[in-house]
Structures are given as C-alpha cells and as structure tokens.
Amino acid sequence: MTTTPETPAAPLVDLQRLFIAIRRRKRFWLATALLGLVAGAALAVLLPAPPTAVAKVIVVHQDDSPTDSGTLMRTDVAVLQTTQIAEAALKKLGSTDSPEDFMKNYAGLGLTNNILQITVKAKSNEEAAARAQALAETFIADHVRRSQAAAAAQSQAILDQRKNAQDELGKIEQQIVEEEGKGRQASQPTLENLYSRRAALTAQISDFTARAQQAGIGSPQVAAGTQVVDAARVLPKAFLKTTATNAGIGFALGLALGLALVAVGAVSRDKPVLRREISTHLGASVIAQLPSKPRGPARLWRRSRAVSERQRVATTLVRLIKQDPREVSLLELGAPKVAAALALDIAGELDTASVVDDLPGEDVRKLAQETKSEVSVVGAGDPPATPEERRVGVGTVSPGTAWTDLEHLGEETVLVVKAGHANTLWLHTVARQLADQAIPILGVVLVDPDPRDKSDGTLWDGLHTALRGRGRPATPPAPAEREDRLDELVARVAERVVTEQPTRRFTPVRPVLPPALATPRPPASPLPPPGGVSVPDHLNAPTKKFAPVKPPKRPSPFKRDHAEPSHKGELDADLEPEKSAEVS
C-alpha cells in the first residue's frame, strides 16, 4: 500500500514574498517618504510657530519634603490649567478673550519639585510676554492666598479649641468654689481631682494661645519664597531647526505609511512575484527572464543590456520553433511591448517568417514602424500563410480575452508574464483555459523579475511539453533498435553475473524416492463390467459371537474380594449353552 506524501500547508504570511514585494514597490514607499519630507518642510514654512514666551516660577509648599515624588508640583500644574487662573489673568490684562480659548494657548511644566515653567503663545511677542508674566503673577497670588487661607483656618480652629477649654475651666472653678464652701464636710479626693483638672486645662489654654498666635502669622516662608525667578521672555525663532524637525517627522511618517500600505497590499492582493510561485500556478517552467524597460536616466546605459538579453531569449525560442513544424505563439500577460519586441526578434532570425499581431493596441505594428523593421506584420483576419512561410502569433491572455481565438495563433504557446501583475486566481484561469483549448504551454518568459529571487521555477512533471523534452523522439523506437537495446541489457546482466561471484556454491537438491516408489509398478488390470462379479458364500455367513471381554481385576483392600467367588459355578452354567452353540 502506497501513501501519497502530504503537501505542506502554505504559511499564513510568506516573509520572502513580503520582502520581495516591498523591495519591488520601493518607488512607492520612497515617494511617500519624500512627500512626507516635503510636507513637513512646507508646514514649517507656511505655518510658522507663533510667538512664544516662557516664565519660570519657584513654588514653595508648606508641606514640602525631600521624599516628595512630584505630587505637589503636578497639583500646581493642574491648578494652573483651570478657568479660575485663566480668568484672573485675563482680567489683570484687561482682555476680553474667553478663558477656554486662553487655556489652549498656554501650558505648565514641572521642571523640578519646586520649579514651574509657564509657556504662553500669542499673536505677537509683546502679547506673549505680557500674558506669561500676568499668568505667573496670578498663579503666585493664588498660591499665597490658598496658603494664607489654610493658615487662617488652622488658627481659627485652634482658637475654637481654646474657647472650649476656657469654658470647661470656668466650670471647674465653680465646682472648686462650691466644694470649698462646705468647710469640714468637703471631700478631699474630689478637690484634688478638680485641682489637677484645672491645672491641665490651664496648660492647654496656654498651648492653644501660642499655636493660635503662630498660625495667625501665616506661612511667611510660602509668601516670601514663591516668586518669579525668570521673568517672561520671548523665545527666539529657530527657523532652520524647526524646519528640519518638521521635515524629519514628515519623512518618518511618510515612510511608515508607505511601507504599511505596500505590506498590506502584498498580503491582500496575493500577486505572485517568485519564479516558483508563477511556475506552480501556471503549470509550466520558467525558461527565461527579461528585465523591465529601464526608467529615468538608467535608459542611457542599460538599453543595450536589455536589447542583448531579449535577443538571447529570442535565439532560444528560434531553436525551439525550428525543431518542430508546429506553430508557436507568444501570449502576454502584463507585458505587451516586451512580447511585441520579442516576436519581431524571433521573426527577424527566421528566414521566411511573419508576425500575426492580435494585441488589442497593435503594439507589434507600432513597434515595427518605430524601429523600421523589415518583418512582415499581418492581422488576425488576414489570409493564412503559405506552406513555406512561418508565422509567429502574438496575443494576450489578459481579462477579456477571446479564448477560442488563441488556437489560430499557434498550436503551442510561450507565455510572456510580468511578475506581480496578475493574482493567483487569474493565473489558474489562464492555465485552465489553455488546457481546455488543448494548447500546451512550452514555458514562461518572466518579465521584470526580482534580481534577488533565488527560487527554482522548473517543473519536473511536464516533460512532454517542456523545452527539455522536445528533443526526444515522440514515437517508440524501431524493432531493430529495441533488439540492440535488449542485447546490450543482456550483456550487462551477464557481465554482472560473471564479475560478481556468489560467496558459496551449493549442490542442487535432488528429491529422494523410497524403494517402493523407485521400482515401476505393474500395469493395473482393467475392472470387470458391472454385474460380472460373484460374491462368495462365506461372506454372507452370520457374524461370529465372541466371548465377552472381562475387565482386569483391580486390587481391593478387602480380604473377601481376594477369595474365590461363590457364584463361579453359576457363571459357567450360563456360559455353557453359548459354548456348545459355537462348537456346533
């Protein structure tokens, strides 16, 4: 039982094809990167940065500590971005702008735990500096006011506690007077408790008084320390730096966008670019490849190379056409100009050959007129060729092709396919339609391949249609040639038997017959006819009666069993008539 090997599943994303597709579309993503570069530089020129002023304020916190991780400064930045601060700054400037719009034009940044940087944008340099200074002073006033309000609230709370303690002390004094008025009947333990309580309340009142006085003073270090350390100043405009920064950002964004679009397109469109993929989907081997038409200044020094490559491929196809009398056509898929030039080169190397131009744009006829070629170009509806004339048909297998007309261009075909032009589904459609029309594909001429593609585009299961199999005879060998081959095969086998001696030789095994079978048997007499054999009389005699077989005696452990049986005479008497009958 033979099992077919399982075909390995195709990967979800072929990285090799993805990289090749990105490299082939380098003009696109380089163009997007250049467009981003130009757009960033133009943005810096057309939309310059507005005038900007910066002011720095040192902020002293009442609860500041060395272990603070910047929480207090983040709180100050959040307070700066409130409508209350913006409205107060606008009132100080006498502006009628809305606080919400003003908040969009300034920002705060905590440089350290105590340094706050305020950045303000405006229409002019003077306005930006004035707004930054007003905003800094407004924030300082608000910060000091909040600190003093907190100190006043703390002082009032301490005073309230002192008043409560004084009220309780008055009650204790009254109880002491009442207890002392009793004279000798006064309780000494009660008086001692009242005296100790009076002393504690007196100490608390003194402490509350001192704390209230200190809190009433406020936080002088906050009010004195919070101030503007760097007055508002206008930042100088660095045009070159801004332009370079915007251009770099635009270049990076354009490059990333171009690469992303190319990668997504390569995965979603599924257009094969590798030789092995194109040969697999078309069911034919890649026999040659041609570079695409040079673009830009490269046409000046690469034109001769492209022409020589095309002529070399044309020479290969000419050898193919000469070996077989059947007509061969060139069918293009994404490369009509290359197919037209290749057909003219093939017809030019043949003696009497013409080109049948069946391309939609009549590219062969136009190219022949441009190059002033002497090759005859005919149309698909012209009269058929003479027996001495060879014709090379040029057509297309692009979408919209009349498949039934392809057989009039040639009995066999060579596909001229541009890499990355058609998707997998259309390549399968082309192969299926050509198979239905009984037009074998001799090979594929790949146009514009990737120069770094090292994949193999050869199929090994189509020898009868491939170029490497066209030189072999299509008919079976003659009988004389077959006999020569058989003789050669027998000679090789005999030579191998003589040269390769076995390890040991054994005597052949012969069958050994018994003596009875070794002597020849006499011929058997024929059987008598039916009814001629008589049966002897003694064969019809009754069956003899035999004495019953007595079973052997077994040893018994009882003595009475070893004695003579008492019924021996009776047994003999019974057997006597039978014995007499047997004797008679």
Side-chain angles (χ1 to χ4, degrees):
M1 178 180 180
T2 59
T3 58
T4 57
E6 297 182 358
T7 304
L12 183 61
V13 178
D14 192 349
L15 296 181
Q16 183 182 6
R17 183 175 63 182
L18 179 62
F19 292 154
I20 290 178
I22 292 176
R23 189 165 56 246
R24 288 174 58 85
R25 299 291 302 278
K26 63 182 179 181
R27 293 187 180 91
F28 177 79
W29 51 264
L30 285 178
T32 57
L34 183 60
L35 181 62
L37 177 68
V38 174
L43 185 65
V45 174
L46 299 178
L47 298 177
T52 306
V54 175
K56 294 182 181 179
V57 179
I58 182 171
V59 183
V60 178
H61 304 93
Q62 187 175 359
D63 300 330
D64 197 1
S65 63
T67 59
D68 182 37
S69 60
T71 305
L72 297 176
M73 181 53 63
R74 287 194 294 271
T75 302
D76 294 336
V77 172
V79 171
L80 182 66
Q81 298 285 344
T82 57
T83 56
Q84 181 181 355
I85 301 296
E87 185 177 2
L90 290 175
K91 286 182 179 180
K92 188 173 183 178
L93 293 171
S95 176
T96 58
D97 295 344
S98 62
E100 290 77 8
D101 296 338
F102 182 45
M103 289 171 57
K104 297 177 182 178
N105 295 325
Y106 75 86
L109 176 63
L111 301 179
T112 63
N113 290 345
N114 299 102
I115 300 298
L116 175 64
Q117 177 178 311
I118 301 175
T119 305
V120 182
K121 297 179 181 180
K123 297 180 180 179
S124 62
N125 295 335
E126 293 77 9
E127 184 180 359
R131 290 195 173 194
Q133 188 67 24
L135 194 60
E137 293 175 356
T138 303
F139 174 77
I140 292 174
D142 180 77
H143 182 72
V144 172
R145 181 183 57 80
R146 286 186 287 106
S147 177
Q148 291 179 352
Q154 185 179 4
S155 176
Q156 185 63 37
I158 293 174
L159 292 177
D160 293 341
Q161 292 180 359
R162 187 184 67 173
K163 185 178 181 302
N164 294 334
Q166 289 176 352
D167 295 342
E168 186 178 358
L169 180 60
K171 294 179 181 179
I172 294 297
E173 291 288 350
Q174 183 66 27
Q175 291 178 5
I176 291 175
V177 171
E178 292 178 358
E179 191 66 28
E180 288 178 350
K182 294 180 181 180
R184 295 182 178 181
Q185 296 180 357
S187 176
Q188 295 299 327
T190 303
L191 288 174
E192 291 179 359
N193 291 336
L194 293 174
Y195 292 152
S196 61
R197 181 58 181 167
R198 184 178 61 181
L201 289 174
T202 303
Q204 287 183 2
I205 291 172
S206 302
D207 183 43
F208 286 151
T209 301
R211 291 172 57 187
Q213 292 177 356
Q214 184 178 1
I217 298 174
S219 301
Q221 68 276 11
V222 175
T226 304
Q227 59 184 349
V228 178
V229 294
D230 191 0
R233 59 185 178 86
V234 179
L235 295 178
K237 293 183 178 180
F239 178 76
L240 295 179
K241 182 179 180 181
T242 304
T243 304
T245 303
N246 293 348
I249 295 175
F251 178 82
L253 293 178
L255 180 61
L257 179 62
L259 290 176
L261 292 177
V262 169
V264 172
V267 175
S268 60
R269 291 187 300 176
D270 189 21
K271 293 186 177 181
V273 294
L274 300 177
R275 285 197 294 265
R276 58 179 172 83
E277 293 180 341
I278 294 177
S279 62
T280 301
H281 296 317
L282 289 177
S285 301
V286 177
I287 58 177
Q289 61 184 23
L290 292 173
S292 61
K293 185 178 181 181
R295 300 179 182 178
R299 292 180 296 179
L300 300 177
W301 62 83
R302 293 182 57 184
R303 182 178 181 86
S304 59
R305 179 181 177 184
V307 172
S308 61
E309 289 288 335
R310 191 180 67 240
Q311 291 178 354
R312 182 181 61 85
V313 175
T315 303
T316 303
L317 297 180
V318 165
R319 297 193 188 100
L320 167 67
I321 296 175
K322 287 182 177 180
Q323 291 179 0
D324 200 315
R326 291 176 292 184
E327 295 183 355
V328 178
S329 63
L330 297 179
L331 301 180
E332 63 85 22
L333 182 59
K337 295 183 179 180
V338 176
L342 193 60
L344 291 178
D345 293 341
I346 293 174
E349 294 189 13
L350 295 175
D351 296 334
T352 56
S354 60
V355 180
V356 180
D357 187 6
D358 196 24
L359 294 175
E362 296 184 353
D363 295 317
V364 181
R365 195 180 302 275
K366 294 179 181 178
L367 184 61
Q369 294 177 357
E370 292 177 0
T371 58
K372 298 180 180 180
S373 177
E374 298 179 357
V375 178
S376 175
V377 180
V378 298
D382 292 349
T386 60
E388 296 81 8
E389 182 183 4
R390 298 292 299 271
R391 284 190 175 181
V392 179
V394 182
T396 180
V397 287
S398 301
T401 301
W403 302 104
T404 55
D405 294 343
L406 297 180
E407 60 182 4
H408 301 290
L409 298 178
E411 300 177 6
E412 298 176 333
T413 184
V414 175
L415 295 180
V416 182
V417 182
K418 184 177 181 180
H421 176 75
N423 55 14
T424 302
L425 180 61
W426 186 250
L427 293 180
H428 290 177
T429 302
V430 171
R432 185 176 64 253
Q433 291 291 345
L434 292 178
D436 293 343
Q437 298 297 326
I439 302 176
I441 303 175
L442 300 181
V444 178
V445 177
L446 190 61
V447 180
D448 192 17
D450 185 78
R452 299 184 182 180
D453 182 15
K454 305 300 181 182
S455 61
D456 187 11
T458 305
L459 298 181
W460 299 98
D461 54 354
L463 190 62
H464 61 288
T465 59
L467 290 179
R468 63 181 185 276
R470 293 179 64 82
R472 300 190 178 185
T475 58
E481 183 178 358
R482 187 181 303 174
E483 292 179 0
D484 295 341
R485 292 184 180 179
L486 290 177
D487 295 340
E488 182 181 359
L489 180 61
V490 170
R492 290 183 179 179
V493 173
E495 181 181 359
R496 181 176 299 178
V497 171
V498 172
T499 55
E500 299 179 2
Q501 295 294 338
T503 305
R504 297 180 62 182
R505 291 182 178 273
F506 298 92
T507 305
V509 180
R510 298 177 180 178
V512 179
L513 300 177
L517 297 179
T519 58
R521 291 184 178 182
S525 57
L527 295 177
V533 180
S534 60
V535 180
D537 295 338
H538 66 277
L539 294 178
N540 294 330
T543 307
K544 288 186 176 182
K545 291 186 177 180
F546 297 94
V549 178
K550 298 179 181 180
K553 295 182 179 182
R554 298 179 179 178
S556 177
F558 303 100
K559 291 183 178 181
R560 56 184 180 84
D561 294 336
H562 295 283
E564 292 293 333
S566 58
H567 56 274
K568 184 176 181 181
E570 297 177 1
L571 183 60
D572 295 340
D574 295 336
L575 294 176
E576 195 64 30
E578 296 180 2
K579 292 181 180 180
S580 60
E582 291 176 0
V583 172
S584 62

Short mmCIF file of all heavy atoms in Angstrom, two decimals, residues 7 31 39 41 98 101 185 203 208 249-250 269 286 306 355 360 413 445 451 453 457 465 473 494 523 545-546 555 579:
data_model
loop_
_atom_site.label_atom_id
_atom_site.label_comp_id
_atom_site.label_asym_id
_atom_site.label_seq_id
_atom_site.Cartn_x
_atom_site.Cartn_y
_atom_site.Cartn_z
N THR A 7 1.06 17.36 1.28
CA THR A 7 1.63 18.65 0.86
C THR A 7 1.69 19.58 2.05
O THR A 7 0.68 19.76 2.74
CB THR A 7 0.78 19.27 -0.25
OG1 THR A 7 0.66 18.35 -1.33
CG2 THR A 7 1.39 20.56 -0.74
N ALA A 31 8.55 57.37 -2.49
CA ALA A 31 7.79 58.57 -2.87
C ALA A 31 6.96 59.09 -1.69
O ALA A 31 6.88 60.32 -1.48
CB ALA A 31 6.88 58.25 -4.06
N ALA A 39 6.21 67.78 2.81
CA ALA A 39 5.06 68.31 3.54
C ALA A 39 5.48 68.87 4.89
O ALA A 39 4.99 69.93 5.32
CB ALA A 39 4.00 67.22 3.72
N ALA A 41 8.48 70.09 5.71
CA ALA A 41 9.21 71.34 5.50
C ALA A 41 8.26 72.47 5.07
O ALA A 41 8.40 73.62 5.52
CB ALA A 41 10.29 71.14 4.43
N SER A 98 -12.06 84.58 25.94
CA SER A 98 -12.67 83.59 26.84
C SER A 98 -11.57 82.79 27.53
O SER A 98 -10.51 82.53 26.94
CB SER A 98 -13.59 82.66 26.06
OG SER A 98 -12.84 81.93 25.09
N ASP A 101 -10.45 79.59 25.52
CA ASP A 101 -9.51 79.80 24.42
C ASP A 101 -8.10 80.14 24.93
O ASP A 101 -7.10 79.73 24.33
CB ASP A 101 -10.00 80.93 23.51
CG ASP A 101 -11.31 80.58 22.83
OD1 ASP A 101 -11.60 79.36 22.72
OD2 ASP A 101 -12.04 81.51 22.42
N GLN A 185 -16.86 69.50 105.79
CA GLN A 185 -17.56 68.41 105.09
C GLN A 185 -17.09 68.25 103.64
O GLN A 185 -17.58 67.40 102.92
CB GLN A 185 -19.06 68.69 105.09
CG GLN A 185 -19.65 68.69 106.50
CD GLN A 185 -21.15 68.96 106.48
OE1 GLN A 185 -21.73 69.20 105.42
NE2 GLN A 185 -21.79 68.94 107.64
N ALA A 203 -2.93 74.60 81.27
CA ALA A 203 -1.80 74.34 80.36
C ALA A 203 -2.27 74.26 78.90
O ALA A 203 -1.61 74.76 77.97
CB ALA A 203 -1.11 73.04 80.76
N PHE A 208 -2.80 76.44 73.35
CA PHE A 208 -3.66 76.87 72.26
C PHE A 208 -3.42 78.34 71.91
O PHE A 208 -3.46 78.74 70.73
CB PHE A 208 -5.13 76.66 72.62
CG PHE A 208 -5.55 75.21 72.57
CD1 PHE A 208 -6.58 74.75 73.40
CD2 PHE A 208 -4.93 74.31 71.74
CE1 PHE A 208 -6.98 73.42 73.37
CE2 PHE A 208 -5.32 72.97 71.71
CZ PHE A 208 -6.33 72.53 72.51
N ILE A 249 10.16 64.57 10.89
CA ILE A 249 8.93 63.91 11.34
C ILE A 249 8.07 63.51 10.15
O ILE A 249 7.50 62.41 10.09
CB ILE A 249 8.16 64.82 12.31
CG1 ILE A 249 8.98 65.05 13.59
CG2 ILE A 249 6.81 64.24 12.65
CD1 ILE A 249 8.35 66.04 14.54
N GLY A 250 7.95 64.42 9.17
CA GLY A 250 7.17 64.08 7.97
C GLY A 250 7.77 62.93 7.18
O GLY A 250 7.05 62.08 6.66
N ARG A 269 -3.65 41.41 -1.89
CA ARG A 269 -3.86 41.21 -3.34
C ARG A 269 -3.37 39.86 -3.82
O ARG A 269 -3.87 39.33 -4.81
CB ARG A 269 -3.16 42.32 -4.12
CG ARG A 269 -3.80 43.68 -3.95
CD ARG A 269 -3.17 44.70 -4.86
NE ARG A 269 -1.74 44.87 -4.61
CZ ARG A 269 -0.95 45.65 -5.32
NH1 ARG A 269 -1.44 46.30 -6.35
NH2 ARG A 269 0.33 45.77 -5.01
N VAL A 286 9.68 28.21 -15.93
CA VAL A 286 10.21 29.50 -16.36
C VAL A 286 11.49 29.22 -17.16
O VAL A 286 12.48 28.74 -16.62
CB VAL A 286 10.50 30.41 -15.16
CG1 VAL A 286 11.14 31.71 -15.61
CG2 VAL A 286 9.23 30.68 -14.38
N ALA A 306 19.46 45.48 -22.08
CA ALA A 306 18.12 44.93 -22.22
C ALA A 306 17.91 44.35 -23.61
O ALA A 306 17.29 43.29 -23.78
CB ALA A 306 17.08 46.03 -21.93
N VAL A 355 4.75 38.00 -38.47
CA VAL A 355 4.17 38.10 -37.13
C VAL A 355 2.69 38.42 -37.26
O VAL A 355 2.31 39.35 -37.99
CB VAL A 355 4.89 39.18 -36.29
CG1 VAL A 355 4.26 39.28 -34.91
CG2 VAL A 355 6.37 38.87 -36.19
N PRO A 360 -4.46 43.96 -28.44
CA PRO A 360 -5.52 44.99 -28.53
C PRO A 360 -5.01 46.34 -29.03
O PRO A 360 -5.70 47.02 -29.78
CB PRO A 360 -6.05 45.07 -27.09
CG PRO A 360 -5.68 43.77 -26.46
CD PRO A 360 -4.39 43.36 -27.10
N THR A 413 2.26 27.43 -27.21
CA THR A 413 2.43 28.82 -26.83
C THR A 413 3.53 28.98 -25.80
O THR A 413 3.88 28.03 -25.08
CB THR A 413 1.12 29.40 -26.25
OG1 THR A 413 1.30 30.78 -25.98
CG2 THR A 413 0.75 28.70 -24.96
N VAL A 445 8.27 33.10 -20.07
CA VAL A 445 9.30 34.13 -20.09
C VAL A 445 8.89 35.18 -19.06
O VAL A 445 7.89 35.88 -19.25
CB VAL A 445 9.46 34.75 -21.49
CG1 VAL A 445 10.50 35.88 -21.44
CG2 VAL A 445 9.87 33.69 -22.49
N PRO A 451 15.64 40.72 -8.87
CA PRO A 451 17.02 40.24 -9.10
C PRO A 451 17.55 39.37 -7.99
O PRO A 451 18.51 38.62 -8.22
CB PRO A 451 17.81 41.56 -9.23
CG PRO A 451 16.98 42.59 -8.55
CD PRO A 451 15.56 42.17 -8.75
N ASP A 453 15.74 37.05 -6.43
CA ASP A 453 14.92 35.84 -6.34
C ASP A 453 15.77 34.63 -6.70
O ASP A 453 16.20 34.49 -7.85
CB ASP A 453 13.71 35.98 -7.25
CG ASP A 453 12.80 34.76 -7.17
OD1 ASP A 453 12.95 33.98 -6.22
OD2 ASP A 453 11.93 34.63 -8.05
N GLY A 457 12.21 27.87 -10.72
CA GLY A 457 10.95 27.92 -11.44
C GLY A 457 10.78 26.80 -12.42
O GLY A 457 10.10 26.97 -13.45
N THR A 465 5.74 18.55 -22.60
CA THR A 465 5.52 19.92 -23.07
C THR A 465 6.68 20.84 -22.78
O THR A 465 6.75 21.94 -23.35
CB THR A 465 4.26 20.50 -22.42
OG1 THR A 465 4.44 20.50 -21.00
CG2 THR A 465 3.03 19.70 -22.77
N PRO A 473 12.50 11.75 -29.11
CA PRO A 473 11.56 11.24 -30.12
C PRO A 473 10.20 10.98 -29.50
O PRO A 473 10.10 10.43 -28.40
CB PRO A 473 12.23 9.95 -30.62
CG PRO A 473 13.14 9.54 -29.50
CD PRO A 473 13.61 10.79 -28.86
N ALA A 494 24.85 -10.29 -17.91
CA ALA A 494 25.80 -11.40 -17.89
C ALA A 494 27.14 -10.96 -17.32
O ALA A 494 27.77 -11.70 -16.56
CB ALA A 494 25.98 -11.94 -19.31
N PRO A 523 1.29 -52.72 -14.59
CA PRO A 523 0.05 -52.07 -15.05
C PRO A 523 -1.17 -52.70 -14.39
O PRO A 523 -1.24 -53.92 -14.22
CB PRO A 523 0.06 -52.30 -16.56
CG PRO A 523 0.94 -53.49 -16.76
CD PRO A 523 1.98 -53.43 -15.70
N LYS A 545 -20.08 -64.98 17.20
CA LYS A 545 -20.24 -64.42 18.53
C LYS A 545 -18.96 -64.64 19.31
O LYS A 545 -18.42 -65.72 19.30
CB LYS A 545 -21.40 -65.10 19.26
CG LYS A 545 -22.75 -64.77 18.67
CD LYS A 545 -23.87 -65.36 19.51
CE LYS A 545 -25.23 -64.97 18.97
NZ LYS A 545 -26.33 -65.55 19.82
N PHE A 546 -18.53 -63.67 19.93
CA PHE A 546 -17.29 -63.74 20.72
C PHE A 546 -17.65 -63.65 22.19
O PHE A 546 -18.68 -63.08 22.58
CB PHE A 546 -16.34 -62.59 20.35
CG PHE A 546 -15.90 -62.65 18.90
CD1 PHE A 546 -16.57 -61.94 17.92
CD2 PHE A 546 -14.82 -63.44 18.54
CE1 PHE A 546 -16.17 -62.00 16.61
CE2 PHE A 546 -14.42 -63.47 17.22
CZ PHE A 546 -15.09 -62.77 16.24
N PRO A 555 -6.86 -54.50 42.33
CA PRO A 555 -6.61 -54.88 43.73
C PRO A 555 -7.57 -54.18 44.66
O PRO A 555 -7.92 -53.02 44.45
CB PRO A 555 -5.15 -54.43 43.97
CG PRO A 555 -4.92 -53.37 42.95
CD PRO A 555 -5.71 -53.77 41.76
N LYS A 579 -21.19 -71.83 24.51
CA LYS A 579 -20.01 -72.54 24.01
C LYS A 579 -20.41 -73.69 23.12
O LYS A 579 -19.78 -73.96 22.09
CB LYS A 579 -19.18 -73.06 25.18
CG LYS A 579 -18.51 -71.96 25.99
CD LYS A 579 -17.69 -72.55 27.12
CE LYS A 579 -17.01 -71.45 27.94
NZ LYS A 579 -16.21 -72.02 29.06
#
